[in-house]
Amino acid sequence: MSPSYDLQQQLSFITELDKLKAVKRKALIKCDDNRYENSAEHSWHIAMAAQVLHPYAEEPVNLARVTQMLLIHDIVEIDAGDTFAFAEEAGLAAQEAKEEAAANRIFGLLPKQQFGYLKSLFREFEECSSADGRFAKAIDRILPLIQNMQNDGGSWAQHKVKRSAVLARNQYLEGLAPALWEFVQSQIDQATENGWLLNE
Amino acid sequence: MSPSYDLQQQLSFITELDKLKAVKRKALIKCDDNRYENSAEHSWHIAMAAQVLHPYAEEPVNLARVTQMLLIHDIVEIDAGDTFAFAEEAGLAAQEAKEEAAANRIFGLLPKQQFGYLKSLFREFEECSSADGRFAKAIDRILPLIQNMQNDGGSWAQHKVKRSAVLARNQYLEGLAPALWEFVQSQIDQATENGWLLNE
Ligand SMILES: [Ca+2]
């Protein structure tokens, strides 16, 4: 007996996801010969970060939805590739169009109802249009900071990133999760002192 | 200002998790030069599989809890390493003791309440002591089958695995998710026909 049409679609989506394991990010995995991190393992790591950091959300969040957003938010990179957080603005706009097309193609492998659900979750994350979306975004931004601090400045130091850019990128933690914002500021101070961020 | 003691503990846990990216499994990533899969990206992949396959659960499951179990179930491999699904029984008992110690050490990096929560979730998965635990376990077992079918028999063919062993390993899908069990049986038939599983 062959599987139902729905199951066939779901299996082709699950199989397609393998490709996210080949999308390389800028972060290095110190404990694995300093190879580049891929977006699949990164998605796992931030989903885990949310499991332990959600109590810091000032406005309560739905952890299940935040987790789903974090699990799916990078899937579009299968077609669109990873964008460095501190890339030029012009590049970012083109990237957004690519990601929208990618979301339609990849989530579109699923049965219609699941496509609709994941697509709208993806938009909610991208647009930060809810407390859940904002918190998920904040977690996605705080993890690279934790990684760079562990890794002698990591991608900041390599790409000569400015202190002001990292502050701006994380600032909306201020209202979302004040304790995490304080922590982020102290880390940025430390990174500047260490010469890992340009003091401008 | 230095972060609270709780936050320091949570950060050390998050940092420790990086090591799961260096734990290699038996599966190969075809789209990334046939390198070995690591347990962090695998954990992401099965969490995603649960997002789309949960409607097949005969007895309704709590997807949020299933997802959490799948995200954390392999973390113990940081200390205990991965065990091949079809390893000898003797090795499996020793492995269990190592994983218990690993759960205490790694989840033990967290504040007490979070440690308690994740540890009991981990036990629920290991012991299949709830519908959520059983469904999570079933998803963890079905993904390697999907991967092997995509990969010319993958780790089955490499390690001369028997058809009867794969059937036994997936059989409890029968009650949990009948449509998935039917699919699994058809795949095992196909794999046997292709010579990827030993016909015994
Ligand atoms: Ca596993």
Side-chain angles (χ1 to χ4, degrees):
Chain A
M1 214 195 105
S2 58
S4 70
Y5 186 60
D6 271 14
L7 182 53
Q8 283 177 41
Q9 292 183 298
Q10 287 149 338
L11 292 168
S12 71
F13 175 74
I14 290 170
T15 302
E16 182 71 16
L17 293 183
D18 226 35
K19 296 183 185 160
L20 196 61
K21 300 170 187 168
V23 176
K24 302 299 189 294
R25 295 167 47 82
K26 292 274 178 290
L28 297 172
I29 307 296
K30 213 180 188 172
C31 61
D32 199 22
D33 290 329
N34 267 315
R35 64 169 175 84
Y36 283 108
E37 187 181 33
N38 71 62
S39 291
E41 62 198 355
H42 164 73
S43 297
W44 168 76
H45 206 169
I46 52 176
M48 280 305 306
Q51 306 312 304
V52 303
L53 297 179
H54 69 95
Y56 295 99
E58 185 80 350
E59 186 182 344
V61 292
N62 180 329
L63 178 60
R65 297 184 80 249
V66 168
T67 303
Q68 285 185 316
M69 285 182 207
L70 290 170
L71 287 174
I72 67 157
H73 83 288
D74 271 341
I75 289 175
V76 293
E77 296 181 359
I78 288 174
D79 288 351
D82 178 48
T83 325
F84 184 47
F86 302 98
E88 299 297 324
E89 278 299 325
L92 291 179
Q95 185 67 11
E96 220 169 277
K98 268 203 260 178
E99 291 187 354
E100 176 71 14
N104 288 332
R105 184 189 75 76
I106 304 168
F107 298 135
L109 294 170
L110 287 167
K112 202 168 163 190
Q113 202 198 337
Q114 291 190 325
F115 164 71
Y117 179 71
L118 293 188
K119 179 78 197 289
S120 82
L121 209 58
F122 173 71
R123 295 247 47 89
E124 188 177 332
F125 175 87
E126 284 299 303
E127 292 159 10
C128 297
S129 56
S130 67
D132 293 344
R134 285 186 290 276
F135 190 74
K137 187 72 90 171
I139 294 293
D140 189 38
R141 290 181 171 188
I142 204 175
L143 187 57
L145 175 141
I146 296 172
Q147 290 176 312
N148 284 338
M149 291 304 292
Q150 291 292 325
N151 219 350
D152 299 330
S155 57
W156 290 337
Q158 267 185 318
H159 297 271
K160 301 200 190 330
V161 172
K162 293 177 191 172
R163 163 197 180 82
S164 57
V166 182
L167 269 174
R169 191 168 165 78
N170 285 282
Q171 181 144 22
Y172 73 133
L173 270 174
E174 191 169 1
L176 275 178
L180 296 182
W181 172 235
E182 260 182 36
F183 163 72
V184 162
Q185 287 174 291
S186 74
Q187 300 298 290
I188 292 175
D189 285 348
Q190 186 63 56
T192 313
E193 226 169 85
N194 295 355
W196 298 339
L197 285 171
L198 296 185
N199 195 1
E200 43 183 283
Chain B
M1 214 196 102
S2 58
S4 70
Y5 187 59
D6 272 16
L7 182 53
Q8 283 179 40
Q9 292 183 297
Q10 287 149 339
L11 292 167
S12 70
F13 175 74
I14 291 170
T15 302
E16 182 72 15
L17 293 182
D18 226 35
K19 296 183 184 159
L20 196 61
K21 300 170 188 169
V23 175
K24 302 298 189 296
R25 293 168 49 82
K26 292 275 179 290
L28 297 172
I29 307 297
K30 214 176 186 173
C31 62
D32 198 22
D33 290 328
N34 267 314
R35 66 168 174 83
Y36 283 106
E37 187 181 32
N38 71 62
S39 291
E41 62 198 354
H42 163 72
S43 298
W44 168 77
H45 205 169
I46 52 176
M48 281 305 306
Q51 306 312 304
V52 303
L53 297 179
H54 69 96
Y56 295 99
E58 185 80 351
E59 185 182 345
V61 291
N62 180 328
L63 178 59
R65 299 185 77 249
V66 168
T67 303
Q68 287 186 315
M69 283 182 208
L70 290 171
L71 287 173
I72 68 157
H73 84 286
D74 271 341
I75 289 175
V76 293
E77 295 180 0
I78 288 174
D79 289 350
D82 178 47
T83 322
F84 184 48
F86 301 98
E88 300 297 325
E89 279 298 326
L92 292 178
Q95 185 67 13
E96 219 168 275
K98 268 203 260 178
E99 292 187 353
E100 175 72 15
N104 288 332
R105 183 189 76 77
I106 304 168
F107 298 134
L109 294 170
L110 288 166
K112 204 169 160 187
Q113 203 197 335
Q114 292 189 324
F115 164 71
Y117 180 71
L118 293 188
K119 180 75 196 289
S120 82
L121 210 58
F122 174 70
R123 294 249 46 91
E124 188 177 332
F125 175 86
E126 283 299 304
E127 291 160 10
C128 299
S129 56
S130 66
D132 293 344
R134 284 186 291 274
F135 191 74
K137 186 72 89 170
I139 295 292
D140 189 38
R141 291 181 172 188
I142 206 175
L143 186 57
L145 176 140
I146 297 172
Q147 289 175 312
N148 284 338
M149 292 306 292
Q150 292 291 325
N151 218 351
D152 299 330
S155 57
W156 290 337
Q158 266 185 319
H159 297 271
K160 303 200 187 335
V161 172
K162 294 177 189 170
R163 164 197 179 81
S164 57
V166 182
L167 271 174
R169 193 168 163 78
N170 285 283
Q171 180 143 23
Y172 73 135
L173 269 174
E174 189 169 3
L176 276 177
L180 296 182
W181 172 234
E182 261 182 34
F183 162 72
V184 162
Q185 286 174 291
S186 74
Q187 299 298 291
I188 291 175
D189 285 348
Q190 188 61 58
T192 311
E193 225 170 86
N194 295 355
W196 297 338
L197 283 172
L198 295 186
N199 195 1
E200 43 183 285

